[in-house]
Amino acid sequence: MEKKKVVVALGHKALGVTLPEQKTAVKEAAKAVADLVEEGCQVVISHSNAPQVGMIHTALNEFGKVHQDYTFAPMSVCSAMSQGYIGYDLQNAIREELLMRGISKTVSTVITQVVVDPYDEAFAEPIKVIGRYMTAEEAAAEEEKGNFVAEEPGKGFRRVVAAPKPVDIVEIEAVRVLCEADQVVIACGGGGIPVLRQRNHLKGASAVIEKDYASGKLAELLDADILMILTGQEKMAIHYGTEQVKYLDRVTPEEVETYAAAGQFPRASILPKMAAGAGFVSGRPGRTAVIAELGRAKEALYGRAGTVIQRT
């Protein structure tokens, strides 16, 4: 029987925020991944990196302020560093969990670059807040460089970067070969390193990519059977926070589009998950997307947990 190919997107809950939290959190994520491997799935993993990349960006820029011989770190470099150290903890936790279950399987992290469109409208309307709080003078200096900043009343100013949609994945062939060799692969961490194609050159973009959209693109290019987005919520909902709240068990891509147009999904959190899932499912018949709690991955695999997106 041919194995199901599953792309698993891990959210913040699976990683924690601080280094000690991450060491603990990845153990639970590893159990969810191992459950899928035990069920006979080929598994490719993506993950968020928002707290981690912010920490790296802040640390390196503060270091650059104190040590004048060092330059500030661009967002693309910070993203690459976060992929490396998150992948390190995650792949070791998964390997250990698999071995404890008697499964000997290589787990590999691929530092992944994701191509974005330089004309994406997101570059004109940045929404992702990143890095440390700045004074008004420091914020003005950032704006002089052409960067965007936003004020948080009573706290200060912070850098704001664009969140363009993923167009292509540079290392997709490497990921595909590892997956077909039945290895567990970690790729597109934090949405991938955003890059712009300039002929044969790849230039890092001052942006971040939504992990869920990158996961959808990864699943599409691998022609996966299932896109599984594991989060801290049991199910997605409409009319959330009201007496008319309705939790979604099964929806079609068309229904997701209708709900999204009506503003039912918060733009910065739920919309990317639902839109990525609907887009993936629309690609070809037979695909499924499911958004579920981290601890219920095995049930979600069989449609018994979470919000399932399928064609009718």
Side-chain angles (χ1 to χ4, degrees):
M1 181 178 175
E2 188 175 346
K3 291 189 172 186
K4 284 187 176 181
K5 191 177 296 181
V6 183
V7 170
V8 179
L10 300 174
H12 299 325
K13 183 180 179 182
L15 300 176
V17 176
T18 65
L19 291 174
E21 280 183 11
Q22 182 171 298
K23 283 283 187 183
T24 301
V26 293
K27 294 182 184 299
E28 293 304 310
K31 292 176 183 178
V33 173
D35 284 345
L36 299 177
V37 173
E38 277 193 326
E39 292 300 301
C41 299
Q42 288 181 331
V43 181
V44 178
I45 303 156
S46 64
H47 59 78
S48 67
N49 75 340
Q52 290 84 356
V53 77
M55 177 178 64
I56 292 169
H57 185 264
T58 299
L60 291 180
N61 285 356
E62 287 299 306
F63 184 82
K65 285 171 61 180
V66 176
H67 300 276
Q68 299 302 317
D69 292 338
Y70 290 85
T71 58
F72 293 95
M75 283 302 304
S76 55
V77 172
C78 296
S79 178
M81 294 176 73
S82 73
Q83 283 193 36
Y85 96 80
I86 293 171
Y88 163 68
D89 278 345
L90 195 52
Q91 72 183 39
N92 283 343
I94 295 169
R95 175 182 177 276
E96 182 177 331
E97 182 66 30
L98 290 173
L99 288 174
M100 287 173 60
R101 301 186 188 198
I103 302 170
S104 180
K105 192 182 290 287
T106 302
V107 186
S108 305
T109 298
V110 178
I111 304 299
T112 318
Q113 301 174 94
V114 175
V115 179
V116 297
D117 183 352
Y119 300 106
D120 192 306
E121 292 180 357
F123 284 108
E125 189 182 353
I127 60 171
K128 286 292 183 179
V129 179
I130 194 77
R132 66 181 181 87
Y133 287 100
M134 298 178 287
T135 65
E137 292 75 16
E138 289 173 324
E142 285 295 319
E143 290 182 320
E144 281 289 322
K145 298 176 191 175
N147 296 324
F148 291 85
V149 297
E151 183 178 7
E152 293 186 31
K155 294 183 177 181
F157 298 81
R158 295 180 74 189
R159 176 93 180 273
V160 186
V161 297
K165 296 287 180 62
V167 173
D168 197 9
I169 298 171
V170 178
E171 291 79 16
I172 191 63
E173 286 304 322
V175 177
R176 184 178 288 115
V177 168
L178 291 169
C179 182
E180 294 301 330
D182 205 24
Q183 297 187 25
V184 177
V185 191
I186 302 165
C188 290
I193 305 162
V195 294
L196 303 169
R197 276 202 177 111
Q198 298 177 342
R199 296 186 180 180
N200 293 330
H201 178 65
L202 296 172
K203 177 180 173 58
S206 183
V208 295
I209 301 170
E210 286 281 2
K211 170 263 302 177
D212 299 310
Y213 288 127
S215 301
K217 177 60 70 173
L218 180 63
E220 172 198 324
L221 294 178
L222 291 175
D223 195 25
D225 300 293
I226 299 172
L227 171 62
M228 184 179 295
I229 300 175
L230 298 180
T231 182
Q233 295 171 264
E234 184 178 347
K235 292 181 181 180
M236 301 295 97
I238 56 173
H239 304 300
Y240 189 77
T242 72
E243 293 181 357
Q244 289 77 41
V245 62
K246 176 185 177 183
Y247 290 93
L248 303 174
D249 295 315
R250 292 181 178 272
V251 289
T252 65
E254 292 76 18
E255 287 173 324
V256 170
E257 186 176 342
T258 299
Y259 292 144
Q264 288 289 345
F265 306 130
R267 179 183 179 187
S269 55
I270 305 303
L271 179 60
K273 294 174 176 56
M274 297 299 290
F280 168 70
V281 169
S282 297
R284 71 161 170 80
R287 287 178 176 174
T288 299
V290 57
I291 305 162
E293 278 188 298
L294 175 65
R296 305 190 68 183
K298 184 175 177 179
E299 295 165 88
L301 178 66
Y302 298 106
R304 297 197 293 266
T307 295
V308 177
I309 306 174
Q310 283 182 323
R311 287 181 169 187
T312 53

